Amino acid sequence: MPSTPPDQPWHARFDAFVAAKTAQASAAILPPYETEIDAAADADLHPIGNAWTRKLYDGDFHVSAARDPDRPACSLVFVQSADGNTDARDPGMLGGGNTDKHLIYEGLSRVAADAVLAGAATARGRTTMFSVWHPELVALRSSLGLPRHPTQIVATRHGMDIEDSLLFNVPTVPAIVLTGADGADRMHQAAALRPWITLMVMRQPDELADAFRRLRARGIATISCIGGRTLAAQLLDARLVDDVYLTTAPRPGGVPGTPVSPHPWRGRVITRKHGTGPEAGVLFEHISTAGAAVP
Ligand SMILES: NC(=O)c1ccc[n+]([C@@H]2O[C@H](COP(=O)([O-])OP(=O)(O)OC[C@H]3O[C@@H](n4cnc5c(N)ncnc54)[C@H](OP(=O)(O)O)[C@@H]3O)[C@@H](O)[C@H]2O)c1
């Protein structure tokens, strides 16, 4: 991840961050995926893509509508090692490859999303902001009529260091913090100075379903949740996830015993693709959670 000097004002740090992420995405060599299974036509899905993404993804990418219209449609995007672990200091090191990182993760999974949602452990860090960076994806997002950057949503019980995190300090990028009363008390002063930040206090500390309904009422219709697995497992258990975009690396690795969720969650495979060239052995699946076992 690009780092920026801490003594610069936030707008200069943001400009440097955007320039570095854009350069990194533009320079990446992206071996295309090849399709093994495509059952998208059998399901009620919304296609997304342009000529550039269709060539690399081997067709349209798809998103489901929300099963419950009172909450946002929500997808989860994860990379796991061949032995099913998701936890790694840098998930890129799990071996999902460039196409997963730049086309799926920082790309198709969020290009049409109103918001990106992360657990506090995934969102922490001075230089973090979740968006799309490759010029083709920026153009696709713009063609969909969406703002340049998705709203940043972070779940935290204890609170985040708002003063010291890029994603809370760009006035043009709204941020929403899902938290409890104690967390809100801790962040109140810093948030009050930043009118683009909303503290959404959950009545019970773990009321994610209620928070989702309130997000929908605020106009957030689609969420791309990027994990980590602590947050992801709760969303899956609460039946708040419609699609899972899961990339499996060809080699074992990561922290042992860190699957996407400890409970069964897999529903129907909508799409299965594999990597090519230097990314041979990578497996990508779009899995619908509809019909998955209830934990
Ligand atoms: N392989 C992948 O695709 C992938 C994706 C994402 C992350 N990761 C990796 O996974 C690790 C982080 O995952 P993780 O499971 O440890 O953490 P996480 O899910 O990112 O964050 C957990 C934190 O989120 C907050 N939280 C969780 N549930 C909440 C709820 N119901 N209400 C309010 N806040 C809630 C809490 O924050 P507080 O402690 O602040 O209260 C909790 O400690 C990192 O190593 C990261 O690099 C991998």
Side-chain angles (χ1 to χ4, degrees):
M1 186 179 309
S3 63
T4 51
D7 52 343
Q8 285 183 339
W10 282 113
H11 68 83
R13 284 195 242 177
F14 184 51
D15 289 349
F17 178 80
V18 171
K21 293 292 284 186
T22 305
Q24 198 185 66
S26 304
I29 292 170
L30 307 179
Y33 283 172
E34 280 177 358
T35 306
E36 291 176 16
I37 296 173
D38 183 0
D42 308 340
D44 185 16
L45 298 164
H46 181 64
I48 293 171
N50 60 17
W52 183 82
T53 65
R54 282 186 202 107
K55 197 168 153 209
L56 290 176
Y57 186 71
D58 196 20
D60 272 324
F61 188 80
H62 290 93
V63 295
S64 297
R67 278 197 296 278
D68 172 358
D70 291 337
R71 65 152 171 87
C74 179
S75 63
L76 268 182
V77 59
F78 263 95
V79 56
Q80 66 177 6
S81 60
D83 48 347
N85 298 315
T86 67
D87 202 335
R89 201 173 51 79
D90 173 5
M93 299 306 288
L94 290 169
N98 273 346
T99 305
D100 173 59
K101 177 170 179 186
H102 295 289
L103 182 70
I104 304 293
Y105 174 62
E106 292 186 340
L108 289 164
S109 62
R110 67 179 66 156
V111 72
D114 293 318
V116 172
L117 164 64
T122 298
R124 278 203 179 95
R126 304 191 74 238
T127 324
T128 301
M129 168 75 71
F130 304 110
S131 189
V132 294
W133 309 107
H134 192 287
E136 289 280 1
L137 291 156
V138 174
L140 175 55
R141 188 168 167 83
S142 169
S143 75
L144 297 170
L146 293 164
R148 169 67 187 87
H149 302 289
T151 295
Q152 312 283 300
I153 308 178
V154 179
T156 172
R157 293 191 190 89
H158 296 100
M160 296 286 290
D161 189 352
I162 283 175
E163 306 276 358
D164 201 35
S165 172
L166 180 66
L167 71 78
F168 292 119
N169 283 285
V170 182
T172 52
V173 183
I176 300 174
V177 190
L178 309 183
T179 192
D182 292 349
D185 278 351
R186 283 188 202 104
M187 292 180 283
H188 173 74
Q189 213 170 355
L193 295 169
R194 295 166 174 81
W196 58 91
I197 298 180
T198 302
L199 300 182
M200 191 173 277
V201 182
M202 293 185 279
R203 288 163 203 121
Q204 301 290 323
D206 292 324
E207 264 194 17
L208 290 168
D210 180 56
F212 266 43
R213 280 189 291 275
R214 289 157 69 195
L215 288 169
R216 184 68 192 87
R218 291 177 64 95
I220 304 274
T222 47
I223 291 178
S224 167
C225 176
I226 60 165
R229 66 193 196 92
T230 305
L231 179 63
Q234 295 172 67
L235 295 174
L236 286 163
D237 288 356
R239 313 285 291 158
L240 294 172
V241 176
D242 304 291
D243 295 309
V244 179
Y245 304 115
L246 180 64
T247 299
T248 303
R251 57 172 193 261
V255 178
T258 56
V260 172
S261 169
H263 306 127
W265 58 265
R266 288 180 73 105
R268 198 162 74 87
V269 174
I270 304 281
T271 310
R272 180 177 294 150
K273 300 184 185 249
H274 58 254
T276 59
E279 298 191 355
V282 170
L283 185 73
F284 170 82
E285 295 169 290
H286 170 188
I287 303 159
S288 165
T289 59
V294 180

